[in-house]
Amino acid sequence: MKIMIAYDGSRNARLALAQTITMFRELKPQIVLVAVAENPRDITSGNEDLFQQEVSELKGYLNEAMDVCQNEDVGAETLLLEGDPRKMLLYAAEKKIHPDMLVIARHSHEPDGGFIARSLTYFVDELDYMTFGSVSSFLARRIQCPLLILPSR
């Protein structure tokens, strides 16, 4: 069974990896961890530096996730792409990996905050969804394989 996990190194992504390994260990899954670095919106040197920093951080997160998979004796590989995360995850699933399942973690900006921070997070999440849509809702409407969206805790 080939499982693609959208992985950005966040707390929720790490939880999604751990939950996926726990749920599907018996099926001896082949996990493909896919990270996407967003392209800078302009070509100033400052944005290029930020973009290179993001690429470097994502490579580090992917290496940490590979270590987790090796420690859990689960086969895994990584893929790092550049562009719009929604479109690149769809591209990776349908043109490169062809997974039996795509796993994504529900994104939350501040999953560990107090009552006020959580309330603001819910408000921002709803605003994001209403104005731009989320990665998970974009993929839920378009992906051609089973999609597992894991909530944050």
Side-chain angles (χ1 to χ4, degrees), residues 93-126:
E94 298 196 348
K95 302 293 184 190
K96 295 184 84 65
I97 299 171
H98 307 286
D100 297 308
M101 178 183 301
L102 171 60
V103 176
I104 59 175
R106 184 182 174 280
H107 183 70
S108 179
H109 298 288
E110 293 288 338
D112 297 327
F115 173 75
I116 294 173
R118 284 194 310 268
S119 298
L120 288 173
T121 297
Y122 294 139
F123 174 74
V124 170
D125 283 350
E126 287 301 314

Side-chain angles (χ1 to χ4, degrees), residues 11-25:
R11 174 184 174 273
N12 293 343
R14 292 191 306 266
L15 285 172
L17 174 60
Q19 290 171 331
T20 301
I21 290 172
T22 300
M23 288 188 288
F24 298 103
R25 178 187 306 280

Side-chain angles (χ1 to χ4, degrees), residues 134-148:
S134 68
V135 173
S136 57
S137 65
F138 178 87
L139 291 170
R141 291 189 303 264
R142 292 170 175 83
I143 198 78
Q144 297 297 311
C145 68
L147 173 65
L148 177 60

Side-chain angles (χ1 to χ4, degrees), residues 69-89:
C69 292
Q70 287 177 342
N71 290 339
E72 296 289 335
D73 197 27
V74 173
E77 59 187 276
T78 63
L79 179 63
L80 178 59
L81 300 170
E82 299 174 8
D84 181 330
R86 300 174 305 163
K87 293 175 183 173
M88 296 313 293
L89 289 171

